């Protein structure tokens, strides 16, 4: 791992993410892949429709930029990861 970045911190209800900003630092560092995670305030480990949509957008952008999106997931209150990919049809 080269770095750990926190590009966004959301409110209680939502976070509005610009895909370009997620990839800004990985492109600057010329990385081959990134791992993204998020945490729901409720600690619900199931991906929301918005999680699935954002994961799809990040994967598409990464493919265009030649930066792989590895194992996107959700964090719980103990920072254990739950993968989003079983819920997503690529």
């Amino acid at each position: 791992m080269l770095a750990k970045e926190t590009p966004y911190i959301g409110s209680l209800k939502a976070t509005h993410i610009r895909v370009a900003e997620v990839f800004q630092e990985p492109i600057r560092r010329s990385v081959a892949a990134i791992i993204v995670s998020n945490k729901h305030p409720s600690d619900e480990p199931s991906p929301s429709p918005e999680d699935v949509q954002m994961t799809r957008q990040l994967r598409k952008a990464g493919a265009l930029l030649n930066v792989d999106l590895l194992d996107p997931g959700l964090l719980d209150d103990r920072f254990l990861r739950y993968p989003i990919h079983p819920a997503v049809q690529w």
Side-chain angles (χ1 to χ4, degrees):
M1 178 166 57
L2 292 175
K4 177 184 168 192
E5 301 288 331
T6 305
Y8 287 93
I9 296 175
S11 67
L12 184 61
K13 298 286 184 184
T15 298
H16 300 284
I17 297 173
R18 285 194 63 236
V19 173
E21 291 176 12
V22 172
F23 284 96
Q24 184 175 6
E25 193 63 20
I27 289 169
R28 188 182 75 72
R29 293 176 181 259
S30 298
V31 301
I34 63 171
I35 297 172
V36 296
S37 293
N38 73 317
K39 183 177 183 319
H40 293 168
S42 66
D43 285 328
E44 171 60 44
S46 300
S48 68
E50 294 82 7
D51 292 330
V52 173
Q53 179 183 8
M54 181 52 59
T55 300
R56 285 185 180 132
Q57 289 176 355
L58 290 171
R59 190 165 303 276
K60 285 180 185 178
L64 288 172
L65 297 167
N66 202 27
V67 177
D68 291 333
L69 177 63
L70 304 178
D71 194 27
L74 297 169
L75 301 174
D76 68 7
D77 61 341
R78 296 168 293 166
F79 293 97
L80 298 174
R81 293 187 82 242
Y82 298 89
I84 290 177
H85 58 81
V88 178
Q89 296 295 320
W90 305 118

